[in-house]
Amino acid sequence: MSRTSPEPTPGFLVWRLANKWRVAVDRALAPLGLTHAQYALVASLHGMRRTGERPSQRGLADHTGLEALYVSKLARALEASGLIERTRDPRDPRAVQLALTERGQDVTRQAITAVQQLLQQLLEPLGGLDGPRTRAFTDELTTLLDVPLAPSVPNDETTQGTTP
């Protein structure tokens, strides 16, 4: 009897690709003293600064899709590293605004270059960053990211009365 494994599900493949990407980015950015999550914050701040924005921690959480508490923790670590500054928003004393320091801008530019090189490697099989397959893939990912997900709660006899 042969043992064949079932085809991987799309969810499993998304999870594997996300992990592959996170590990590759972590390794590429380690010499700069950044993790992938920290990169998401500084690169977002870099892009937002270019459009004249100085986001609050909440605004950055919304932009990156990270939990606000996690953004706060990352921001404190990046501030301790001298890469960002956190200041009270003059319009709302409860809000904390974030901005890259001069050193943070320099490190972020280096990090963006490293991540762009990784992205080019990853997308080469699809025709590179500007290939039509990459554009289609990006459109599909955007579609999936726009779908709101609520955790499902099993409601059948096999799970009732059990604890997860």
Side-chain angles (χ1 to χ4, degrees), residues 13-92:
L13 294 172
V14 167
W15 178 75
R16 288 283 313 273
L17 182 59
N19 280 318
K20 175 182 179 176
W21 180 248
R22 184 193 49 78
V23 168
V25 172
D26 277 342
R27 287 180 181 155
L29 298 180
L32 296 173
L34 291 174
T35 65
H36 187 236
Q38 290 172 328
Y39 171 77
L41 260 60
V42 296
S44 293
L45 281 172
H46 177 77
M48 295 169 105
R49 181 183 65 85
R50 293 177 68 189
T51 63
E53 292 181 67
R54 184 175 176 147
S56 66
Q57 285 184 172
R58 164 54 72 192
L60 195 57
D62 292 344
H63 178 80
T64 60
L66 296 171
E67 294 291 329
L69 192 58
Y70 189 44
V71 168
S72 177
K73 178 182 173 182
L74 292 169
R76 284 192 303 274
L78 290 165
E79 182 181 42
S81 299
L83 300 179
I84 68 168
E85 60 183 14
R86 299 166 66 230
T87 57
R88 290 280 172 207
D89 185 335
R91 298 163 298 184
D92 181 357

Side-chain angles (χ1 to χ4, degrees), residues 77-124:
L78 290 165
E79 182 181 42
S81 299
L83 300 179
I84 68 168
E85 60 183 14
R86 299 166 66 230
T87 57
R88 290 280 172 207
D89 185 335
R91 298 163 298 184
D92 181 357
R94 297 168 296 161
V96 175
Q97 288 183 314
L98 304 174
L100 292 168
T101 62
E102 190 172 317
R103 179 170 171 262
Q105 290 174 40
D106 181 51
V107 169
T108 300
R109 281 191 290 273
Q110 293 175 60
I112 288 170
T113 299
V115 171
Q116 285 297 311
Q117 290 171 349
L118 269 179
L119 192 56
Q120 181 63 38
Q121 286 178 21
L122 177 69
L123 296 173
E124 196 60 42

